[in-house]
Amino acid sequence: MQVVRGKKIDTLYDAGQIARRNAELAAEIMKGPSDDLLVIAVLKGSFIFAADLIRAMHAAGAAPEVEFITLSSYGAGTVSQGVRIIKDIDSDVAGRDVLLIDDILESGRTLSFARQLMRDRGAKNVSIAVLLDKREKRNTDLEADYVGFECPDYFVVGYGMDAAYAFRELPYVGIVTGDAD
Ligand code: IMP
Ligand code: MG
Protein backbone atom coordinates (compact mmCIF):
# COMPACT_ATOMS: atom_id res chain seq x y z
CA MET A 1 0.00 0.00 0.00
CA GLN A 2 1.21 3.49 -0.86
CA VAL A 3 -0.31 6.87 -0.05
CA VAL A 4 -0.44 9.27 -3.01
CA ARG A 5 -2.28 12.60 -2.91
CA GLY A 6 -3.95 11.56 0.32
CA LYS A 7 -5.34 8.32 -1.15
CA LYS A 8 -4.41 4.74 -0.26
CA ILE A 9 -3.39 2.74 -3.29
CA ASP A 10 -2.94 -1.03 -3.38
CA THR A 11 -0.77 -2.56 -6.08
CA LEU A 12 -2.60 -4.81 -8.55
CA TYR A 13 0.28 -5.42 -11.01
CA ASP A 14 3.76 -4.21 -10.17
CA ALA A 15 6.38 -2.81 -12.53
CA GLY A 16 8.28 -6.09 -12.80
CA GLN A 17 5.18 -8.11 -13.65
CA ILE A 18 4.20 -5.56 -16.29
CA ALA A 19 7.68 -5.50 -17.87
CA ARG A 20 7.79 -9.30 -18.10
CA ARG A 21 4.31 -9.44 -19.62
CA ASN A 22 5.20 -6.71 -22.13
CA ALA A 23 8.09 -8.82 -23.40
CA GLU A 24 5.74 -11.80 -23.82
CA LEU A 25 3.16 -9.67 -25.61
CA ALA A 26 5.81 -8.27 -27.95
CA ALA A 27 6.88 -11.80 -28.87
CA GLU A 28 3.23 -12.74 -29.55
CA ILE A 29 2.69 -9.63 -31.64
CA MET A 30 5.72 -10.51 -33.77
CA LYS A 31 4.02 -13.77 -34.74
CA GLY A 32 0.98 -11.88 -36.07
CA PRO A 33 0.67 -9.64 -39.15
CA SER A 34 3.64 -7.31 -38.87
CA ASP A 35 4.28 -6.26 -42.44
CA ASP A 36 4.80 -2.52 -42.53
CA LEU A 37 3.22 -2.35 -39.07
CA LEU A 38 1.54 0.85 -37.95
CA VAL A 39 1.08 1.03 -34.19
CA ILE A 40 -1.59 3.47 -33.00
CA ALA A 41 -1.68 4.38 -29.32
CA VAL A 42 -5.14 5.35 -28.13
CA LEU A 43 -4.52 8.29 -25.82
CA LYS A 44 -4.38 9.30 -23.15
CA GLY A 45 -4.42 6.27 -20.86
CA SER A 46 -2.22 4.04 -23.04
CA PHE A 47 0.78 6.35 -23.26
CA ILE A 48 3.06 4.49 -20.84
CA PHE A 49 1.95 1.01 -21.91
CA ALA A 50 2.46 1.96 -25.57
CA ALA A 51 5.89 3.45 -24.84
CA ASP A 52 7.00 0.27 -23.06
CA LEU A 53 5.37 -2.13 -25.51
CA ILE A 54 6.94 -0.58 -28.62
CA ARG A 55 10.36 -0.78 -26.96
CA ALA A 56 9.69 -4.44 -26.12
CA MET A 57 8.70 -4.87 -29.78
CA HIS A 58 11.97 -3.29 -30.84
CA ALA A 59 13.82 -5.75 -28.62
CA ALA A 60 11.87 -8.53 -30.37
CA GLY A 61 12.97 -7.25 -33.78
CA ALA A 62 10.06 -5.02 -34.88
CA ALA A 63 10.42 -1.61 -36.52
CA PRO A 64 6.88 -0.19 -36.42
CA GLU A 65 5.66 3.27 -37.34
CA VAL A 66 4.01 4.84 -34.28
CA GLU A 67 0.97 7.08 -34.31
CA PHE A 68 -1.40 8.55 -31.76
CA ILE A 69 -5.13 9.11 -31.66
CA THR A 70 -7.01 10.76 -28.82
CA LEU A 71 -10.52 9.45 -28.33
CA SER A 72 -13.10 10.47 -25.81
CA SER A 73 -16.32 8.82 -24.76
CA TYR A 74 -19.28 10.97 -23.98
CA GLY A 75 -22.57 9.98 -22.45
CA ALA A 76 -20.83 7.44 -20.21
CA GLY A 77 -23.41 5.95 -17.92
CA THR A 78 -26.25 7.13 -20.12
CA VAL A 79 -27.92 5.60 -23.15
CA SER A 80 -26.20 7.93 -25.63
CA GLN A 81 -22.96 6.05 -26.01
CA GLY A 82 -20.71 7.80 -28.49
CA VAL A 83 -17.01 8.05 -29.07
CA ARG A 84 -15.44 11.24 -30.37
CA ILE A 85 -12.12 11.89 -32.10
CA ILE A 86 -10.30 14.60 -30.16
CA LYS A 87 -7.05 14.37 -32.13
CA ASP A 88 -6.66 12.17 -35.20
CA ILE A 89 -3.62 10.35 -36.61
CA ASP A 90 -1.71 11.96 -39.48
CA SER A 91 -0.77 8.80 -41.40
CA ASP A 92 -2.67 6.99 -44.13
CA VAL A 93 -3.74 3.54 -42.93
CA ALA A 94 -4.91 2.18 -46.31
CA GLY A 95 -3.40 -1.23 -47.00
CA ARG A 96 -1.49 -1.31 -43.71
CA ASP A 97 -1.33 -3.73 -40.81
CA VAL A 98 -2.54 -1.68 -37.86
CA LEU A 99 -2.06 -2.49 -34.17
CA LEU A 100 -4.23 -0.45 -31.81
CA ILE A 101 -2.86 -0.14 -28.27
CA ASP A 102 -5.09 0.84 -25.37
CA ASP A 103 -4.90 0.69 -21.61
CA ILE A 104 -8.19 -1.01 -20.74
CA LEU A 105 -10.81 -2.88 -22.70
CA GLU A 106 -14.02 -2.39 -20.76
CA SER A 107 -17.37 -2.10 -22.59
CA GLY A 108 -15.47 -2.26 -25.87
CA ARG A 109 -17.02 0.94 -27.23
CA THR A 110 -13.76 2.85 -27.62
CA LEU A 111 -11.90 0.08 -29.41
CA SER A 112 -14.90 -0.96 -31.54
CA PHE A 113 -15.05 2.62 -32.75
CA ALA A 114 -11.30 2.80 -33.39
CA ARG A 115 -11.18 -0.54 -35.20
CA GLN A 116 -14.14 0.37 -37.43
CA LEU A 117 -12.57 3.75 -38.19
CA MET A 118 -9.35 2.09 -39.38
CA ARG A 119 -11.22 -0.55 -41.38
CA ASP A 120 -13.32 2.17 -43.04
CA ARG A 121 -10.07 3.90 -43.98
CA GLY A 122 -8.89 0.75 -45.71
CA ALA A 123 -6.51 -0.84 -43.21
CA LYS A 124 -5.51 -4.33 -44.39
CA ASN A 125 -5.71 -5.76 -40.90
CA VAL A 126 -6.52 -4.24 -37.50
CA SER A 127 -5.41 -6.01 -34.33
CA ILE A 128 -5.76 -4.84 -30.75
CA ALA A 129 -3.42 -4.96 -27.75
CA VAL A 130 -4.63 -3.92 -24.29
CA LEU A 131 -2.86 -3.93 -20.98
CA LEU A 132 -6.00 -4.86 -19.05
CA ASP A 133 -9.18 -6.70 -19.92
CA LYS A 134 -12.13 -5.79 -17.68
CA ARG A 135 -14.53 -8.27 -19.21
CA GLU A 136 -17.32 -8.00 -16.63
CA LYS A 137 -18.26 -4.64 -18.15
CA ARG A 138 -18.22 -5.74 -21.80
CA ASN A 139 -21.33 -4.87 -23.83
CA THR A 140 -19.92 -5.35 -27.32
CA ASP A 141 -18.56 -8.53 -28.92
CA LEU A 142 -15.08 -7.05 -29.17
CA GLU A 143 -12.14 -9.15 -28.02
CA ALA A 144 -8.52 -8.02 -27.97
CA ASP A 145 -5.91 -10.05 -29.84
CA TYR A 146 -3.28 -9.42 -27.15
CA VAL A 147 -4.14 -8.97 -23.45
CA GLY A 148 -1.64 -8.15 -20.72
CA PHE A 149 -3.72 -9.06 -17.69
CA GLU A 150 -7.27 -9.71 -16.62
CA CYS A 151 -8.65 -6.79 -14.60
CA PRO A 152 -11.13 -7.16 -11.74
CA ASP A 153 -14.13 -4.82 -11.80
CA TYR A 154 -12.42 -2.04 -9.82
CA PHE A 155 -11.40 1.38 -11.00
CA VAL A 156 -7.65 1.13 -11.56
CA VAL A 157 -5.02 3.84 -11.82
CA GLY A 158 -1.33 4.23 -12.58
CA TYR A 159 0.94 3.16 -15.44
CA GLY A 160 -0.67 5.94 -17.52
CA MET A 161 -4.22 5.61 -16.19
CA ASP A 162 -5.86 8.36 -14.20
CA ALA A 163 -8.65 9.04 -11.76
CA ALA A 164 -9.72 12.68 -12.09
CA TYR A 165 -6.39 13.53 -13.78
CA ALA A 166 -4.25 12.05 -10.98
CA PHE A 167 -2.00 8.97 -10.63
CA ARG A 168 -0.81 8.57 -14.24
CA GLU A 169 2.82 8.70 -13.04
CA LEU A 170 2.67 5.57 -10.87
CA PRO A 171 4.97 2.84 -12.27
CA TYR A 172 2.46 0.12 -11.31
CA VAL A 173 -1.25 -0.56 -11.80
CA GLY A 174 -3.09 0.12 -8.56
CA ILE A 175 -6.52 0.32 -6.97
CA VAL A 176 -7.55 3.33 -4.90
CA THR A 177 -8.91 1.80 -1.69
CA GLY A 178 -9.78 4.95 0.26
CA ASP A 179 -8.54 8.06 2.01
CA ALA A 180 -5.35 8.01 4.08
CA ASP A 181 -5.88 8.67 7.80
P1 IMP B 1 -14.63 1.13 -23.00
O1 IMP B 1 -14.86 2.02 -24.20
O2 IMP B 1 -15.83 0.99 -22.13
O3 IMP B 1 -14.02 -0.20 -23.37
O4 IMP B 1 -13.65 1.93 -22.05
C1 IMP B 1 -12.32 1.83 -22.13
C2 IMP B 1 -11.69 3.13 -21.68
O5 IMP B 1 -12.24 3.61 -20.44
C3 IMP B 1 -10.23 2.88 -21.40
O6 IMP B 1 -9.45 3.14 -22.55
C4 IMP B 1 -9.93 3.84 -20.28
O7 IMP B 1 -9.52 5.07 -20.83
C5 IMP B 1 -11.22 4.03 -19.56
N1 IMP B 1 -11.28 3.20 -18.33
C6 IMP B 1 -12.07 2.13 -18.12
N2 IMP B 1 -11.89 1.60 -16.90
C7 IMP B 1 -10.93 2.36 -16.32
C8 IMP B 1 -10.27 2.29 -15.03
O8 IMP B 1 -10.52 1.42 -14.17
N3 IMP B 1 -9.33 3.25 -14.80
C9 IMP B 1 -8.99 4.20 -15.71
N4 IMP B 1 -9.58 4.29 -16.92
C10 IMP B 1 -10.54 3.38 -17.22
MG1 MG C 1 -8.62 5.08 -22.93
Coordinates of all heavy atoms in Angstrom, one line a residue, residues 50-131:
A50 N 2.0 1.9 -24.2 CA 2.5 2.0 -25.6 C 4.0 2.2 -25.6 O 4.7 1.6 -26.4 CB 1.7 3.0 -26.3
A51 N 4.5 3.1 -24.8 CA 5.9 3.5 -24.8 C 6.7 2.2 -24.5 O 7.8 2.0 -25.1 CB 6.2 4.6 -23.9
D52 N 6.3 1.5 -23.5 CA 7.0 0.3 -23.1 C 6.8 -0.9 -24.1 O 7.8 -1.6 -24.4 CB 6.5 -0.2 -21.7 CG 7.1 0.7 -20.6 OD1 8.0 1.5 -20.8 OD2 6.6 0.5 -19.4
L53 N 5.6 -1.0 -24.6 CA 5.4 -2.1 -25.5 C 6.1 -1.9 -26.8 O 6.7 -2.9 -27.3 CB 3.9 -2.3 -25.8 CG 3.5 -3.5 -26.6 CD1 3.9 -4.8 -25.9 CD2 1.9 -3.5 -26.9
I54 N 6.2 -0.7 -27.3 CA 6.9 -0.6 -28.6 C 8.4 -0.8 -28.4 O 9.1 -1.3 -29.3 CB 6.7 0.8 -29.3 CG1 7.1 2.0 -28.5 CG2 5.2 0.9 -29.8 CD1 7.0 3.3 -29.2
R55 N 8.9 -0.5 -27.2 CA 10.4 -0.8 -27.0 C 10.6 -2.3 -26.8 O 11.6 -2.8 -27.2 CB 10.9 0.0 -25.8 CG 11.1 1.5 -26.2 CD 11.5 2.3 -25.0 NE 10.5 2.5 -24.1 CZ 10.6 3.3 -23.0 NH1 11.7 3.9 -22.7 NH2 9.5 3.4 -22.2
A56 N 9.6 -3.0 -26.2 CA 9.7 -4.4 -26.1 C 9.6 -5.0 -27.5 O 10.3 -6.0 -27.8 CB 8.6 -5.0 -25.2
M57 N 8.8 -4.4 -28.4 CA 8.7 -4.9 -29.8 C 10.0 -4.7 -30.5 O 10.5 -5.5 -31.3 CB 7.6 -4.2 -30.5 CG 6.2 -4.6 -30.0 SD 4.8 -3.6 -30.6 CE 5.0 -3.8 -32.4
H58 N 10.6 -3.5 -30.3 CA 12.0 -3.3 -30.8 C 13.0 -4.4 -30.4 O 13.7 -4.9 -31.2 CB 12.5 -1.9 -30.4 CG 14.0 -1.8 -30.7 ND1 14.5 -1.5 -31.9 CD2 15.0 -1.9 -29.8 CE1 15.8 -1.5 -31.8 NE2 16.2 -1.7 -30.6
A59 N 12.9 -4.7 -29.1 CA 13.8 -5.8 -28.6 C 13.5 -7.1 -29.3 O 14.4 -7.9 -29.4 CB 13.7 -5.9 -27.1
A60 N 12.3 -7.3 -29.7 CA 11.9 -8.5 -30.4 C 12.1 -8.5 -31.9 O 11.7 -9.4 -32.6 CB 10.4 -8.9 -30.0
G61 N 12.6 -7.3 -32.4 CA 13.0 -7.2 -33.8 C 12.0 -6.4 -34.7 O 12.2 -6.3 -35.9
A62 N 11.0 -5.8 -34.1 CA 10.1 -5.0 -34.9 C 10.6 -3.6 -35.1 O 11.4 -3.1 -34.4 CB 8.7 -4.9 -34.2
A63 N 10.1 -3.0 -36.2 CA 10.4 -1.6 -36.5 C 9.1 -0.9 -37.0 O 9.0 -0.5 -38.1 CB 11.5 -1.5 -37.6
P64 N 8.2 -0.7 -36.0 CA 6.9 -0.2 -36.4 C 6.9 1.3 -36.6 O 7.8 2.0 -36.1 CB 6.0 -0.5 -35.2 CG 6.9 -0.5 -34.1 CD 8.2 -1.0 -34.6
E65 N 5.9 1.8 -37.4 CA 5.7 3.3 -37.3 C 4.7 3.5 -36.2 O 3.9 2.6 -35.9 CB 5.0 3.7 -38.6 CG 4.7 5.2 -38.7 CD 3.9 5.5 -40.0 OE1 4.0 4.8 -41.0 OE2 3.2 6.6 -40.0
V66 N 4.8 4.6 -35.5 CA 4.0 4.8 -34.3 C 3.2 6.1 -34.5 O 3.7 7.2 -34.9 CB 4.9 5.0 -33.0 CG1 4.0 5.2 -31.8 CG2 5.8 3.7 -32.9
E67 N 1.9 6.0 -34.2 CA 1.0 7.1 -34.3 C 0.1 7.2 -33.0 O 0.2 6.3 -32.2 CB 0.0 6.8 -35.5 CG 0.5 7.5 -36.8 CD 0.2 9.0 -36.8 OE1 -0.2 9.5 -35.8 OE2 0.3 9.5 -37.9
F68 N -0.6 8.3 -33.0 CA -1.4 8.6 -31.8 C -2.8 9.1 -32.2 O -2.9 9.9 -33.1 CB -0.7 9.6 -30.9 CG 0.7 9.3 -30.6 CD1 1.7 9.7 -31.4 CD2 1.0 8.5 -29.5 CE1 3.1 9.3 -31.2 CE2 2.3 8.1 -29.2 CZ 3.3 8.5 -30.1
I69 N -3.8 8.6 -31.5 CA -5.1 9.1 -31.7 C -5.7 9.4 -30.3 O -5.5 8.6 -29.3 CB -6.0 8.1 -32.5 CG1 -7.3 8.8 -32.9 CG2 -6.3 6.8 -31.7 CD1 -8.1 8.1 -34.0
T70 N -6.4 10.5 -30.1 CA -7.0 10.8 -28.8 C -8.5 10.6 -29.0 O -9.1 11.3 -29.8 CB -6.7 12.2 -28.3 OG1 -5.3 12.4 -28.3 CG2 -7.2 12.4 -26.9
L71 N -9.1 9.7 -28.3 CA -10.5 9.5 -28.3 C -11.2 9.8 -27.0 O -10.5 9.6 -25.9 CB -10.8 8.0 -28.7 CG -10.3 7.5 -30.0 CD1 -10.6 6.0 -30.2 CD2 -10.9 8.3 -31.2
S72 N -12.4 10.2 -27.0 CA -13.1 10.5 -25.8 C -14.5 9.9 -25.9 O -15.2 10.1 -26.9 CB -13.1 12.0 -25.6 OG -14.0 12.3 -24.5
S73 N -14.9 9.3 -24.8 CA -16.3 8.8 -24.8 C -17.2 9.9 -24.2 O -16.7 10.7 -23.3 CB -16.4 7.6 -23.8 OG -15.5 6.6 -24.2
Y74 N -18.4 10.1 -24.7 CA -19.3 11.0 -24.0 C -20.5 10.2 -23.7 O -20.8 9.2 -24.3 CB -19.6 12.2 -24.8 CG -20.1 12.0 -26.1 CD1 -21.5 11.9 -26.3 CD2 -19.3 12.0 -27.3 CE1 -22.0 11.7 -27.6 CE2 -19.8 11.8 -28.5 CZ -21.2 11.7 -28.7 OH -21.7 11.5 -29.9
G75 N -21.3 10.7 -22.8 CA -22.6 10.0 -22.4 C -22.3 8.7 -21.6 O -23.1 7.8 -21.6
A76 N -21.1 8.6 -21.0 CA -20.8 7.4 -20.2 C -21.9 7.3 -19.1 O -22.2 8.3 -18.4 CB -19.4 7.5 -19.6
G77 N -22.4 6.1 -19.0 CA -23.4 6.0 -17.9 C -24.8 6.3 -18.4 O -25.8 6.2 -17.7
T78 N -24.9 6.8 -19.6 CA -26.2 7.1 -20.1 C -26.5 6.2 -21.3 O -25.7 5.4 -21.7 CB -26.4 8.6 -20.6 OG1 -25.6 8.8 -21.8 CG2 -25.8 9.5 -19.5
V79 N -27.6 6.4 -22.0 CA -27.9 5.6 -23.1 C -27.3 6.1 -24.4 O -27.1 5.4 -25.4 CB -29.4 5.5 -23.4 CG1 -30.0 4.5 -22.4 CG2 -30.1 6.8 -23.4
S80 N -26.9 7.4 -24.4 CA -26.2 7.9 -25.6 C -24.7 7.6 -25.5 O -24.0 8.3 -24.9 CB -26.4 9.4 -25.7 OG -25.8 10.1 -24.6
Q81 N -24.3 6.5 -26.2 CA -23.0 6.0 -26.0 C -22.2 6.3 -27.3 O -22.1 5.5 -28.2 CB -23.0 4.6 -25.7 CG -23.8 4.3 -24.4 CD -23.6 2.8 -24.0 OE1 -23.4 2.0 -24.8 NE2 -23.6 2.6 -22.7
G82 N -21.5 7.5 -27.3 CA -20.7 7.8 -28.5 C -19.3 7.9 -28.2 O -18.9 8.1 -27.0
V83 N -18.4 7.8 -29.2 CA -17.0 8.1 -29.1 C -16.6 9.2 -30.0 O -17.1 9.2 -31.2 CB -16.2 6.8 -29.4 CG1 -14.7 7.0 -29.3 CG2 -16.6 5.6 -28.5
R84 N -15.8 10.0 -29.6 CA -15.4 11.2 -30.4 C -13.9 11.3 -30.6 O -13.2 10.9 -29.8 CB -15.8 12.5 -29.5 CG -16.1 13.7 -30.2 CD -17.1 14.6 -29.3 NE -16.6 14.7 -27.9 CZ -15.9 15.7 -27.4 NH1 -15.6 16.7 -28.1 NH2 -15.6 15.7 -26.1
I85 N -13.5 11.7 -31.8 CA -12.1 11.9 -32.1 C -11.7 13.3 -31.6 O -12.2 14.3 -32.1 CB -11.8 11.8 -33.6 CG1 -12.3 10.4 -34.2 CG2 -10.3 12.0 -33.9 CD1 -12.1 10.3 -35.7
I86 N -10.8 13.3 -30.7 CA -10.3 14.6 -30.2 C -9.1 15.0 -31.0 O -9.0 16.2 -31.3 CB -9.8 14.5 -28.7 CG1 -11.0 13.9 -27.8 CG2 -9.3 15.8 -28.1 CD1 -12.2 14.8 -27.6
K87 N -8.2 14.1 -31.3 CA -7.1 14.4 -32.1 C -6.8 13.1 -33.0 O -6.6 12.0 -32.4 CB -5.9 14.7 -31.2 CG -4.5 14.6 -31.9 CD -4.1 15.9 -32.5 CE -2.6 15.9 -33.0 NZ -2.4 14.9 -34.1
D88 N -6.8 13.3 -34.3 CA -6.7 12.2 -35.2 C -5.2 11.9 -35.5 O -4.3 12.7 -35.3 CB -7.4 12.5 -36.5 CG -7.9 11.3 -37.2 OD1 -7.5 10.1 -36.9 OD2 -8.8 11.4 -38.1
I89 N -5.0 10.7 -36.1 CA -3.6 10.3 -36.6 C -3.4 11.2 -37.9 O -4.3 11.7 -38.5 CB -3.5 8.8 -36.9 CG1 -4.6 8.4 -37.9 CG2 -3.6 8.0 -35.7 CD1 -4.4 7.0 -38.4
D90 N -2.1 11.2 -38.3 CA -1.7 12.0 -39.5 C -1.5 11.0 -40.6 O -1.6 11.4 -41.8 CB -0.4 12.7 -39.2 CG -0.5 13.8 -38.1 OD1 -1.6 14.5 -38.1 OD2 0.4 13.8 -37.3
S91 N -1.2 9.7 -40.3 CA -0.8 8.8 -41.4 C -2.0 8.2 -42.1 O -3.1 8.1 -41.6 CB 0.1 7.7 -40.8 OG 1.2 8.2 -40.2
D92 N -1.7 7.7 -43.3 CA -2.7 7.0 -44.1 C -2.6 5.5 -43.7 O -1.5 4.9 -43.7 CB -2.3 7.1 -45.6 CG -3.4 6.6 -46.5 OD1 -4.4 6.1 -46.0 OD2 -3.1 6.7 -47.8
V93 N -3.7 4.9 -43.4 CA -3.7 3.5 -42.9 C -4.1 2.5 -44.0 O -4.0 1.3 -43.8 CB -4.7 3.3 -41.7 CG1 -4.4 4.2 -40.6 CG2 -6.2 3.5 -42.1
A94 N -4.5 3.1 -45.2 CA -4.9 2.2 -46.3 C -3.9 1.1 -46.6 O -2.7 1.5 -46.8 CB -5.3 3.0 -47.5
G95 N -4.3 -0.1 -46.6 CA -3.4 -1.2 -47.0 C -2.4 -1.6 -45.9 O -1.5 -2.5 -46.2
R96 N -2.5 -1.0 -44.7 CA -1.5 -1.3 -43.7 C -2.0 -2.3 -42.7 O -3.2 -2.4 -42.4 CB -1.1 0.0 -43.0 CG -1.0 1.2 -43.8 CD 0.4 1.7 -44.1 NE 1.5 1.4 -43.1 CZ 2.2 2.3 -42.5 NH1 1.8 3.6 -42.6 NH2 3.2 2.0 -41.7
D97 N -1.0 -2.9 -42.0 CA -1.3 -3.7 -40.8 C -1.3 -2.8 -39.6 O -0.2 -2.2 -39.4 CB -0.3 -4.8 -40.6 CG -0.4 -6.0 -41.6 OD1 -1.6 -6.3 -41.9 OD2 0.6 -6.5 -42.1
V98 N -2.4 -2.6 -39.0 CA -2.5 -1.7 -37.9 C -2.7 -2.4 -36.5 O -3.4 -3.4 -36.4 CB -3.8 -0.8 -38.1 CG1 -4.1 0.0 -36.8 CG2 -3.6 0.1 -39.3
L99 N -1.9 -2.0 -35.5 CA -2.1 -2.5 -34.2 C -2.5 -1.3 -33.3 O -1.8 -0.4 -33.1 CB -0.7 -3.0 -33.7 CG -0.7 -3.5 -32.2 CD1 -1.6 -4.7 -32.0 CD2 0.7 -3.8 -31.7
L100 N -3.7 -1.4 -32.8 CA -4.2 -0.5 -31.8 C -3.8 -0.8 -30.4 O -3.9 -2.0 -30.0 CB -5.8 -0.4 -31.8 CG -6.4 0.1 -33.1 CD1 -7.9 -0.2 -33.2 CD2 -6.2 1.6 -33.3
I101 N -3.3 0.1 -29.7 CA -2.9 -0.1 -28.3 C -3.7 0.7 -27.3 O -3.8 1.9 -27.5 CB -1.4 0.2 -28.1 CG1 -0.5 -0.6 -29.0 CG2 -1.0 0.0 -26.6 CD1 1.0 -0.4 -28.8
D102 N -4.3 0.1 -26.4 CA -5.1 0.8 -25.4 C -4.8 0.3 -24.0 O -4.3 -0.8 -23.8 CB -6.6 0.8 -25.7 CG -7.3 2.0 -25.1 OD1 -6.7 2.8 -24.4 OD2 -8.5 2.2 -25.4
D103 N -5.2 1.1 -23.0 CA -4.9 0.7 -21.6 C -5.9 -0.4 -21.2 O -5.5 -1.5 -20.7 CB -4.9 1.9 -20.7 CG -6.2 2.8 -20.8 OD1 -7.0 2.5 -21.7 OD2 -6.3 3.8 -20.1
I104 N -7.2 -0.1 -21.3 CA -8.2 -1.0 -20.7 C -9.3 -1.3 -21.8 O -9.8 -0.3 -22.4 CB -8.9 -0.4 -19.5 CG1 -7.9 -0.1 -18.4 CG2 -10.0 -1.4 -19.0 CD1 -8.5 0.2 -17.1
L105 N -9.6 -2.5 -21.9 CA -10.8 -2.9 -22.7 C -11.9 -3.1 -21.7 O -11.8 -4.1 -20.9 CB -10.5 -4.1 -23.5 CG -11.7 -4.8 -24.2 CD1 -12.4 -3.9 -25.2 CD2 -11.2 -6.0 -25.0
E106 N -12.9 -2.3 -21.7 CA -14.0 -2.4 -20.8 C -15.3 -2.8 -21.5 O -15.5 -3.9 -21.9 CB -14.2 -1.1 -19.9 CG -14.9 -1.3 -18.6 CD -15.0 -0.1 -17.8 OE1 -15.5 0.9 -18.2 OE2 -14.4 -0.1 -16.7
S107 N -16.2 -1.8 -21.8 CA -17.4 -2.1 -22.6 C -17.0 -2.5 -24.0 O -17.7 -3.3 -24.6 CB -18.3 -0.9 -22.7 OG -17.8 0.1 -23.5
G108 N -15.9 -2.0 -24.5 CA -15.5 -2.3 -25.9 C -15.9 -1.1 -26.8 O -15.5 -1.2 -28.0
R109 N -16.6 -0.1 -26.3 CA -17.0 0.9 -27.2 C -15.9 1.7 -27.9 O -15.9 1.9 -29.1 CB -17.9 2.0 -26.4 CG -19.3 1.5 -26.1 CD -20.0 2.7 -25.6 NE -19.5 3.2 -24.3 CZ -19.4 4.5 -24.0 NH1 -19.8 5.4 -24.8 NH2 -18.8 4.8 -22.9
T110 N -14.9 2.1 -27.1 CA -13.8 2.9 -27.6 C -13.0 2.1 -28.7 O -12.8 2.6 -29.8 CB -12.8 3.2 -26.5 OG1 -13.5 3.8 -25.4 CG2 -11.7 4.1 -27.0
L111 N -12.7 0.8 -28.4 CA -11.9 0.1 -29.4 C -12.7 -0.4 -30.6 O -12.2 -0.5 -31.7 CB -11.2 -1.1 -28.7 CG -10.0 -0.6 -27.9 CD1 -9.4 -1.6 -27.0 CD2 -8.8 -0.1 -28.9
S112 N -14.0 -0.6 -30.4 CA -14.9 -1.0 -31.5 C -14.9 0.2 -32.5 O -14.8 0.0 -33.7 CB -16.3 -1.2 -31.1 OG -16.4 -2.4 -30.3
F113 N -15.0 1.4 -31.9 CA -15.1 2.6 -32.8 C -13.7 2.8 -33.5 O -13.7 3.0 -34.7 CB -15.3 3.8 -31.9 CG -15.2 5.2 -32.6 CD1 -16.3 5.7 -33.2 CD2 -14.0 5.8 -32.6 CE1 -16.2 6.9 -33.8 CE2 -13.8 7.0 -33.3 CZ -14.9 7.6 -33.9
A114 N -12.6 2.6 -32.8 CA -11.3 2.8 -33.4 C -11.0 1.8 -34.5 O -10.5 2.1 -35.5 CB -10.2 2.7 -32.3
R115 N -11.4 0.5 -34.2 CA -11.2 -0.5 -35.2 C -12.0 -0.3 -36.5 O -11.5 -0.4 -37.6 CB -11.5 -1.9 -34.6 CG -11.2 -3.1 -35.5 CD -11.4 -4.4 -34.9 NE -12.8 -4.7 -34.5 CZ -13.2 -5.8 -33.9 NH1 -12.3 -6.7 -33.6 NH2 -14.5 -5.9 -33.6
Q116 N -13.3 0.1 -36.3 CA -14.1 0.4 -37.4 C -13.6 1.5 -38.2 O -13.6 1.5 -39.5 CB -15.6 0.6 -37.0 CG -16.6 0.6 -38.1 CD -16.5 -0.7 -38.9 OE1 -16.5 -1.8 -38.3 NE2 -16.4 -0.7 -40.2
L117 N -13.1 2.6 -37.5 CA -12.6 3.7 -38.2 C -11.4 3.3 -39.1 O -11.3 3.8 -40.3 CB -12.1 4.7 -37.1 CG -11.5 6.1 -37.6 CD1 -12.7 6.9 -38.1 CD2 -10.9 6.8 -36.4
M118 N -10.5 2.5 -38.6 CA -9.3 2.1 -39.4 C -9.7 1.2 -40.5 O -9.2 1.2 -41.6 CB -8.3 1.4 -38.5 CG -7.8 2.4 -37.4 SD -7.2 4.0 -38.0 CE -7.4 5.0 -36.6
R119 N -10.7 0.3 -40.3 CA -11.2 -0.5 -41.4 C -11.9 0.3 -42.5 O -11.6 0.1 -43.7 CB -12.2 -1.6 -40.8 CG -11.6 -2.7 -40.1 CD -12.6 -3.6 -39.5 NE -12.0 -4.8 -38.9 CZ -12.6 -5.6 -38.1 NH1 -13.9 -5.5 -37.8 NH2 -12.0 -6.7 -37.6
D120 N -12.7 1.3 -42.1 CA -13.3 2.2 -43.0 C -12.3 2.9 -43.9 O -12.5 3.3 -45.0 CB -14.2 3.2 -42.3 CG -15.5 2.5 -41.7 OD1 -15.8 1.4 -42.1 OD2 -16.2 3.2 -40.9
R121 N -11.1 3.2 -43.3 CA -10.1 3.9 -44.0 C -9.2 3.0 -44.8 O -8.2 3.4 -45.4 CB -9.2 4.7 -43.0 CG -9.9 5.8 -42.3 CD -9.1 6.5 -41.3 NE -9.8 7.6 -40.7 CZ -9.2 8.4 -39.7 NH1 -8.1 8.1 -39.2 NH2 -9.9 9.4 -39.3
G122 N -9.6 1.7 -44.8 CA -8.9 0.8 -45.7 C -7.7 0.0 -45.1 O -6.9 -0.6 -45.9
A123 N -7.6 0.0 -43.8 CA -6.5 -0.8 -43.2 C -6.6 -2.3 -43.7 O -7.7 -2.8 -43.8 CB -6.6 -0.8 -41.7
K124 N -5.5 -2.9 -43.9 CA -5.5 -4.3 -44.4 C -5.9 -5.2 -43.3 O -6.7 -6.2 -43.4 CB -4.1 -4.7 -44.9 CG -4.0 -6.1 -45.5 CD -2.7 -6.2 -46.2 CE -1.5 -6.4 -45.3 NZ -0.2 -6.5 -46.0
N125 N -5.4 -4.9 -42.1 CA -5.7 -5.8 -40.9 C -5.6 -4.9 -39.7 O -4.7 -4.0 -39.6 CB -4.7 -6.9 -40.8 CG -4.9 -7.7 -39.6 OD1 -5.8 -8.6 -39.6 ND2 -4.0 -7.6 -38.6
V126 N -6.6 -5.0 -38.7 CA -6.5 -4.2 -37.5 C -6.5 -5.2 -36.3 O -7.5 -6.0 -36.1 CB -7.7 -3.3 -37.4 CG1 -7.6 -2.4 -36.1 CG2 -7.9 -2.4 -38.6
S127 N -5.4 -5.2 -35.5 CA -5.4 -6.0 -34.3 C -5.3 -5.1 -33.1 O -5.1 -3.9 -33.3 CB -4.3 -7.0 -34.4 OG -3.1 -6.4 -34.7
I128 N -5.6 -5.6 -32.0 CA -5.8 -4.8 -30.7 C -4.9 -5.4 -29.6 O -5.0 -6.6 -29.3 CB -7.3 -4.8 -30.3 CG1 -8.1 -4.0 -31.4 CG2 -7.4 -4.2 -29.0 CD1 -9.6 -4.1 -31.2
A129 N -4.2 -4.6 -29.0 CA -3.4 -5.0 -27.8 C -3.9 -4.1 -26.6 O -3.9 -2.9 -26.7 CB -1.9 -4.8 -28.0
V130 N -4.2 -4.7 -25.5 CA -4.6 -3.9 -24.3 C -3.8 -4.4 -23.1 O -3.5 -5.6 -23.0 CB -6.1 -4.0 -24.0 CG1 -7.0 -3.4 -25.1 CG2 -6.6 -5.4 -23.7
L131 N -3.5 -3.5 -22.2 CA -2.9 -3.9 -21.0 C -3.8 -4.7 -20.1 O -3.5 -5.8 -19.6 CB -2.4 -2.7 -20.2 CG -1.7 -3.0 -18.9 CD1 -0.4 -3.7 -19.1 CD2 -1.5 -1.7 -18.1

